[in-house]
């Protein structure tokens, strides 16, 4: 039995064992000993997949950013002795963006010992049949290196791979490398056989860099170079191609002066430099559809290593007109992640929706240059944003310079990111093209906010205003009603906000209004029924009918575009008979969240009776309860009433005793479940997942002490997945 060390050693020298007629277009680095650094575990993982296949035709995808080592890893597998002995034939095909279908077939035919169809006058279909016939007789490893998501993807998806599957009984294997996870999905690679190489750790990065960069550095001078070298390695962020490229450049000289010059050039983002890293990243950028290019370039205004909140980013995209709605925004962000141009920092466990993301430093460098060329924003030699008359986007990472706003008359997006006290100058009113103003999470005092609302009314094109977490905000005045193009208003977490002007109802283009967690805001003003385009409403409080100034539930029947609704109930909330069916008429409603004010148990029954009157549409997909203080769920929470429900969350329900179905003959279609701080929930976990929620695949469970048969080993990390814990 070979050890892992043996496998890796054979991978190093395996290139010499290849017979010429078994492969073609095979390229190798000058020094193959570089290749194994940091890839030991990757090699072992794919090696085991190949030698212990679950399917007759094994399809494996290696997905990652350009320069991350996808091709290197595929090469190590291709050259491995165990893998070579497992197959009768091995074929390596370099695909790239510009491939032609006939060329792929011709190369496969040549390496299978057949005369190409182009030389025999045969048709394209005949050539494909010939390949299938040959593969039925032998087992073969085929590596398709660098497949792109472009107009030819349909050929792979609908013709090549379906045809190839017909020869699967001989246990062949296809390995693809791609920058886009969507390619792997499209051609039918099971997600359990998609491998994503990680960036090199600090030790492996330094080893690779040292090997290339210190060839001409004398030992007695090496300490002077190491400090600079470590900064360079950190700049590369674990990207192998970047480390080798800059290391090779530095290794050509032994002069510290030249090292400093190269380092300075390396830090200055410029795609005019001739190097493999920039060329590689440019290819990824050029392959993007126009809409995705604009979304990617928006990352350029955020500081290096920023963790970016996905929701705010997407709201900006909507206001800027880059996308039509937030759902499309999350789709676009996921596409950028799948193409390995954006990294996920935090995502939701149930449906993997992205919460926070970031960008690799070298990808960001590319966006800085491309954003400059597109005249979106401008940067100095150190990559810091500069003011320019043509700037369209501006991100302040320090105190806002009011005078500088005069220099950017074309500005369309202004984002303040210094999280410090800010003051506003009348020059803000000169930004007549401004569409997005994000001042969230900043220490905005009352004076600053008063000045803001004094001058903001002149921003006639403003479509997005985010003042979330502005503790100094006490009132939104009538001037808000002058922003007739406003589409998104985010005031969540403004804990001192006590009044929202009724002029908000004049904003007919509004698609999102968020006043969630504004505890001092007693109600939303009457008249919201005029906002017929509203898609998301958060923070609605249901008041007594005697309060004529507050928004009533009955008004919502006019909001037929509503997708997301978050409401808050208390003992003072009132729901009358004619409001019973209001929610059921909102056929596009997908998410409903109900938050409760903390009340004494003795008062709960009256509130539960009110809650029973609500009747969401049968199309509802996600349902949330917060501070739920009742022994049972509302009557309409059942698989009969909510057949489309896929996610249920109950948080802080100190009295809830059961979440059972009302009918034993039916089970839920729920796939995700969150149960937190439910000390009275008396439930058998095994019965729940095997009888009542058979489709459940993900659950977060915590502080549910009476929940029996929940896996003991889940206590420390209370996340359950069906595939892992069945």
């Amino acid at each position: 039995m070979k050890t892992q060390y043996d496998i890796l050693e054979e991978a190093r020298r395996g290139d010499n064992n290849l017979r010429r007629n078994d492969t073609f277009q095979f390229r190798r680095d000058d020094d193959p000993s570089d290749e194994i650094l940091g890839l030991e575990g990757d090699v072992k993982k794919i090696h085991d997949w190949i030698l212990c296949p679950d399917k007759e035709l094994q399809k494996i995808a290696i997905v990652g950013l350009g320069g991350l080592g996808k091709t290197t890893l595929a090469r190590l597998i291709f050259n491995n002795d165990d893998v070579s002995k497992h197959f009768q034939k091995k074929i390596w095909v370099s695909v790239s963006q510009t491939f032609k279908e006939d060329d792929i077939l011709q190369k496969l035919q040549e390496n299978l010992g057949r005369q190409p169809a182009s030389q025999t006058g045969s048709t394209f279909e005949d050539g494909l049949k010939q390949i299938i016939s040959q593969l039925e007789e032998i087992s073969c490893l085929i590596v398709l290196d660098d497949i792109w998501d472009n107009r030819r993807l349909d050929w792979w998806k609908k013709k090549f791979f379906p045809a190839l599957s017909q020869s699967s009984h001989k246990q062949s294997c296809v390995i693809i490398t791609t920058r886009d996870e969507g390619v792997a999905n499209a051609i039918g690679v099971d997600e359990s056989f998609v491998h994503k190489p990680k960036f090199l750790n600090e030790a492996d990065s330094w080893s690779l860099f040292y090997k290339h960069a210190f060839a001409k550095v004398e030992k007695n001078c090496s300490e002077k170079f190491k400090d600079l070298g470590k900064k360079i390695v950190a700049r590369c962020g674990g990207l192998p191609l970047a480390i080798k490229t800059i290391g090779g450049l530095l290794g050509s000289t032994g002069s510290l002066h030249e090292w400093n010059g190269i380092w300075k050039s390396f830090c200055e983002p410029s795609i005019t430099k001739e190097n493999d890293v920039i060329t590689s990243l440019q290819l990824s950028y050029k392959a993007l559809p126009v809409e995705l290019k604009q979304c990617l370039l928006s990352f350029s205004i955020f500081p290096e290593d920023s963790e970016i909140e996905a929701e705010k980013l997407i709201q900006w995209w909507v206001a800027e007109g880059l996308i039509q709605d937030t759902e499309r925004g999350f789709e676009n962000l996921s596409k950028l992640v799948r193409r390995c141009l954006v990294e996920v920092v935090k995502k939701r466990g149930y449906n993997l929706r992205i919460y926070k993301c970031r960008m690799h430093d070298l990808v960001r460098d590319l966006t800085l240059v491309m954003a400059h060329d597109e005249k979106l924003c401008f940067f100095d030699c150190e990559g810091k944003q500069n003011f320019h008359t043509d700037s369209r986007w501006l991100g302040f990472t320090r105190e806002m310079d009011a005078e500088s706003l005069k220099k950017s008359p074309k500005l369309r997006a202004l984002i303040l990111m210094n999280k410090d006290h800010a003051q506003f100058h009348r020059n803000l009113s000169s930004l007549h093209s401004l569409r997005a103003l994000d001042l969230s999470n900043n220490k905005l005092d009352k004076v600053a906010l008063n000045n803001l609302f004094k001058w903001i009314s002149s921003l006639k094109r403003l479509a997005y205003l985010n003042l979330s977490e502005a503790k100094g905000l006490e009132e939104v005045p009538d001037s808000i009603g002058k922003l007739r193009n406003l589409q998104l208003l985010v005031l969540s977490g403004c804990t001192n906000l006590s009044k929202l002007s009724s002029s908000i109802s004049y904003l007919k283009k509004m698609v999102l209004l968020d006043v969630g967690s504004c505890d001092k805001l007693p109600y939303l003003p009457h008249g919201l029924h005029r906002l017929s385009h509203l898609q998301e409403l958060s923070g609605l409080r249901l008041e007594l009918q005697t309060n004529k100034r507050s928004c009533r539930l009955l008004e919502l029947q006019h909001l037929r575009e509503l997708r997301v609704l978050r409401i808050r109930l208390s003992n003072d909330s009132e729901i009358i008979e004619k409001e019973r069916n209001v929610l059921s008429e909102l056929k596009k409603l997908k998410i409903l969240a109900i938050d409760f004010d903390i009340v004494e148990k003795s008062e709960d029954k009256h509130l539960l009776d009110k809650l029973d009157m609500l009747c969401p549409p049968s199309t509802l997909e996600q349902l949330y309860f917060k501070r739920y203080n009742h022994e049972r769920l509302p009557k309409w929470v059942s698989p009969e009433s909510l057949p489309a429900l896929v996610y249920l969350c109950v948080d802080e329900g100190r009295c809830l005793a059961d979440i059972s179905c009302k009918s034993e003959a039916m089970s839920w279609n729920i796939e995700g479940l969150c149960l937190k701080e439910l000390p009275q929930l008396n439930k058998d976990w095994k019965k729940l997942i095997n009888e009542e929620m058979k489709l459940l695949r993900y659950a977060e469970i915590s502080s549910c002490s009476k929940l029996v048969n929940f896996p003991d080993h889940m206590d420390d990390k209370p996340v359950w997945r069906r595939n892992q814990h069945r």
Side-chain angles (χ1 to χ4, degrees):
M1 178 69 69
K2 287 184 174 65
T3 66
Q4 181 176 342
Y5 178 79
D6 293 329
I7 294 170
L8 297 175
E9 282 300 303
E10 288 170 357
R12 295 177 191 243
R13 63 175 185 272
D15 190 49
N16 298 325
N17 298 326
L18 289 175
R19 291 176 297 175
R20 183 173 180 80
N21 62 349
D22 280 347
T23 189
F24 57 89
Q25 285 201 356
F26 188 83
R27 295 172 298 166
R28 55 175 293 167
D29 291 332
D30 292 335
D31 188 352
S33 65
D34 290 345
E35 296 184 345
I36 207 64
L37 272 173
L39 293 178
E40 293 87 347
D42 306 67
V43 171
K44 179 66 165 61
K45 180 179 178 181
I46 298 178
H47 170 274
D48 290 347
W49 283 352
I50 292 174
L51 299 189
C52 301
D54 292 331
K55 304 176 183 178
E56 290 183 327
L57 177 65
Q58 180 79 315
K59 287 187 282 190
I60 295 171
I62 303 173
V63 180
L65 179 70
L68 193 54
K70 303 181 299 294
T71 300
T72 297
L73 179 56
R75 184 181 300 152
L76 289 166
I77 298 297
F78 191 86
N79 292 339
N80 181 270
D81 257 6
D82 278 355
V83 172
S84 297
K85 292 173 183 177
H86 188 71
F87 298 100
Q88 294 169 273
K89 208 78 170 176
K90 297 192 304 178
I91 303 174
W92 181 288
V93 181
S94 294
V95 179
S96 76
Q97 292 190 79
T98 56
F99 82 93
K100 295 180 180 178
E101 291 87 345
D102 288 337
D103 290 344
I104 299 292
L105 294 187
Q106 179 175 331
K107 290 168 184 177
L108 287 170
Q109 288 173 310
E110 289 175 350
N111 283 267
L112 289 170
R114 295 295 183 95
Q115 190 174 6
S118 59
Q119 297 180 15
T120 61
S122 302
T123 65
F124 177 88
E125 286 72 19
D126 290 337
L128 196 54
K129 289 178 181 178
Q130 189 182 83
I131 292 170
I132 294 168
S133 175
Q134 182 75 0
L135 291 177
E136 287 177 345
E137 304 299 324
I138 62 170
S139 61
C140 184
L141 171 64
I142 301 175
V143 176
L144 300 170
D145 185 37
D146 202 18
I147 297 182
W148 289 75
D149 182 4
N150 53 25
R151 61 185 178 84
R152 294 186 174 92
L153 182 58
D154 272 354
W155 182 78
W156 294 109
K157 180 171 61 175
K158 298 178 180 178
K159 291 188 177 181
F160 182 83
F161 279 99
L164 202 64
S165 297
Q166 298 176 27
S167 61
S168 62
H169 68 277
K170 286 295 180 181
Q171 289 197 339
S172 291
C173 176
V174 178
I175 298 176
I176 72 161
T177 71
T178 179
R179 303 179 186 208
D180 188 346
E181 191 173 356
V183 171
N185 297 334
I187 64 178
V189 179
D190 189 285
E191 62 179 11
S192 59
F193 293 105
V194 174
H195 178 67
K196 300 177 182 178
K198 292 182 171 56
F199 295 101
L200 294 181
N201 61 32
E202 185 177 350
D204 288 334
S205 295
W206 178 254
S207 296
L208 183 59
F209 175 79
Y210 193 93
K211 184 177 184 65
H212 286 270
F214 282 81
K216 291 190 176 182
V217 176
E218 298 179 7
K219 291 183 179 180
N220 60 353
C221 297
S222 61
E223 290 301 323
K224 296 180 180 180
F225 291 83
K226 282 184 179 179
D227 290 340
L228 183 55
K230 288 178 180 178
K231 290 194 292 184
I232 292 171
V233 171
R235 178 71 173 173
C236 292
L239 191 66
L241 181 59
I243 295 169
K244 291 163 70 173
T245 299
I246 192 65
L249 185 61
L250 294 168
S252 64
T253 177
S255 165
L256 185 61
H257 175 74
E258 292 184 24
W259 269 50
N260 276 305
I262 293 172
W263 159 240
K264 183 178 179 181
S265 176
F266 182 64
C267 287
E268 179 182 347
S270 171
I271 59 173
T272 60
K273 294 181 293 185
E274 296 294 332
N275 66 63
D276 292 339
V277 179
I278 296 301
T279 301
S280 175
L281 296 178
Q282 268 191 285
L283 288 174
S284 292
Y285 173 78
K286 289 180 178 178
L288 293 174
V290 173
E291 182 180 280
L292 285 183
K293 284 181 179 177
Q294 293 290 301
C295 291
L296 181 71
L297 294 184
S298 70
F299 283 83
S300 61
I301 73 167
F302 295 98
E304 193 172 5
D305 297 323
S306 291
E307 293 187 359
I308 303 161
E309 293 184 39
E311 190 172 44
K312 292 181 182 180
L313 178 70
I314 290 165
Q315 289 168 353
W316 168 27
W317 291 351
V318 173
E320 177 70 354
L322 304 183
I323 53 172
Q324 293 301 311
D325 54 54
T326 55
E327 197 59 38
R328 180 64 177 270
F330 279 104
E331 290 175 7
N332 280 7
L333 185 57
S334 294
K335 288 178 182 178
L336 292 175
V337 170
R338 288 197 297 268
R339 292 169 185 257
C340 305
L341 292 168
V342 175
E343 301 171 24
V344 176
V345 175
K346 182 181 179 182
K347 59 185 175 182
R348 188 179 186 185
Y350 156 59
N351 59 5
L352 305 182
R353 171 161 283 194
I354 300 167
Y355 285 151
K356 288 186 178 182
C357 57
R358 67 180 297 275
M359 181 173 281
H360 189 280
D361 290 347
L362 292 176
V363 181
R364 179 177 177 271
D365 283 349
L366 177 70
T367 66
L368 298 188
V369 177
M370 300 307 298
H372 184 282
D373 288 351
E374 296 289 334
K375 295 186 177 180
L376 298 174
C377 44
F378 294 80
F379 304 88
D380 60 24
C381 62
E382 296 181 355
K384 295 180 181 179
Q385 193 163 4
N386 267 344
F387 301 104
H388 193 280
T389 54
D390 290 329
S391 292
R392 284 180 53 185
W393 303 335
L394 182 59
F396 275 102
T397 56
R398 56 190 184 277
E399 185 177 351
M400 186 184 298
D401 178 6
E403 288 298 321
S404 64
L405 297 180
K406 291 182 178 180
K407 303 176 184 177
S408 304
K410 299 180 181 179
L411 201 63
R412 292 169 63 95
L414 176 60
I415 300 178
L416 187 60
M417 295 175 278
N418 67 346
K419 301 186 186 303
D420 205 347
H421 291 282
Q423 298 299 324
F424 297 100
H425 190 272
R426 66 181 71 254
N427 286 344
L428 181 68
S429 61
S430 66
L431 301 177
H432 299 300
S433 298
L434 198 67
R435 295 181 60 86
L437 180 59
D438 186 346
L439 307 172
S440 58
N441 297 305
N442 283 275
K443 297 177 181 177
L444 304 173
D445 59 28
K446 187 175 180 179
V447 174
L449 288 162
N450 286 340
N451 286 335
L452 173 66
F453 282 109
K454 185 186 302 182
W455 297 312
I456 202 174
S457 58
S458 64
L459 305 180
K460 302 300 183 183
R461 297 185 181 180
L462 194 66
Y464 170 46
L465 176 61
N466 191 332
L467 297 174
S468 58
E469 305 296 331
K471 307 305 181 184
L473 183 62
E474 298 178 359
E475 178 181 350
V476 176
D478 293 343
S479 58
I480 193 73
K482 296 180 180 180
L483 301 177
R484 298 302 173 91
N485 284 304
L486 197 64
Q487 299 176 40
L488 304 101
L489 177 60
V490 183
L491 304 172
S492 58
C494 295
T495 52
N496 291 310
L497 178 64
S498 59
K499 183 179 179 181
L500 180 62
S501 171
S502 60
S503 65
I504 195 81
S505 62
Y506 301 152
L507 308 180
K508 302 292 184 65
K509 295 184 179 181
M510 186 81 75
V511 296
L512 183 151
L513 174 59
D514 185 356
V515 290
S517 300
C518 297
D519 296 337
K520 291 185 178 180
L521 185 66
Y523 55 83
L524 285 175
H526 175 72
L528 293 190
H529 63 278
R530 300 189 185 100
L531 307 182
S532 58
H533 295 290
L534 200 63
Q535 298 178 15
E536 182 171 341
L537 175 60
S538 297
L540 174 66
R541 285 178 177 267
L542 298 184
E543 288 293 296
L544 295 172
Q545 293 288 325
T546 54
N547 187 347
K548 303 301 182 182
R549 293 178 297 176
S550 70
C551 176
R552 300 299 311 153
L553 186 62
L554 199 61
E555 291 191 58
L556 269 58
Q557 64 185 340
H558 300 284
L559 307 182
R560 298 304 176 94
E561 296 298 317
L562 206 61
R563 272 86 158 164
V564 179
L565 174 62
R566 299 183 179 94
I567 63 178
R568 190 157 183 171
L569 295 177
S570 69
N571 277 324
D572 292 331
S573 298
E574 187 174 4
I575 302 172
I576 59 177
E577 184 63 30
K578 64 180 180 180
E579 293 177 325
R580 180 184 291 272
N581 296 319
V582 168
L583 295 188
S584 65
E585 296 174 7
L586 303 178
K587 302 302 182 182
K588 294 185 179 182
L589 190 67
K590 301 297 183 185
I591 299 174
L592 175 62
I594 304 177
D595 197 353
F596 299 83
D597 285 342
I598 299 175
V599 295
E600 295 299 324
K601 183 178 179 181
S602 60
E603 301 173 340
D604 277 351
K605 188 178 185 307
H606 180 54
L607 186 56
L608 182 57
D609 291 340
K610 299 173 187 176
L611 193 59
D612 281 338
M613 294 181 66
L614 294 177
C615 187
S618 59
T619 54
L620 195 71
E621 296 178 357
Q622 299 180 37
L623 178 61
Y624 301 79
F625 293 106
K626 179 79 170 178
R627 290 187 287 270
Y628 191 82
N629 197 26
H630 313 289
E631 293 183 359
R632 64 171 175 83
L633 291 174
K635 293 178 180 178
W636 44 265
V637 183
S638 68
E640 296 96 331
S641 300
L642 301 176
L645 194 70
V646 293
Y647 187 81
L648 173 64
C649 175
V650 186
D651 189 358
E652 294 184 45
R654 58 184 176 179
C655 298
L656 186 65
D658 197 10
I659 56 171
S660 296
C661 303
K662 303 301 182 288
S663 171
E664 294 186 2
M666 296 187 68
S667 64
W668 285 102
N669 291 322
I670 288 175
E671 299 177 10
L673 182 66
C674 178
L675 304 174
K676 295 182 177 181
E677 298 187 41
L678 310 179
Q680 301 303 319
L681 182 63
N682 191 354
K683 197 71 185 173
D684 186 328
W685 176 254
K686 289 184 178 179
K687 181 180 179 181
L688 181 70
I689 63 174
N690 293 325
E691 298 178 19
E692 298 178 17
M693 297 185 182
K694 298 177 182 179
L695 301 182
L696 190 68
R697 55 185 176 83
Y698 178 88
E700 296 179 48
I701 311 293
S702 64
S703 301
C704 300
S705 56
K706 292 187 178 181
L707 183 65
V708 298
N709 288 322
F710 190 71
D712 293 336
H713 62 281
M714 300 297 296
D715 291 340
D716 294 334
K717 190 178 181 181
V719 173
W720 176 92
R721 291 181 173 86
R722 185 175 291 273
N723 290 339
Q724 296 179 12
H725 307 294
R726 173 172 286 171

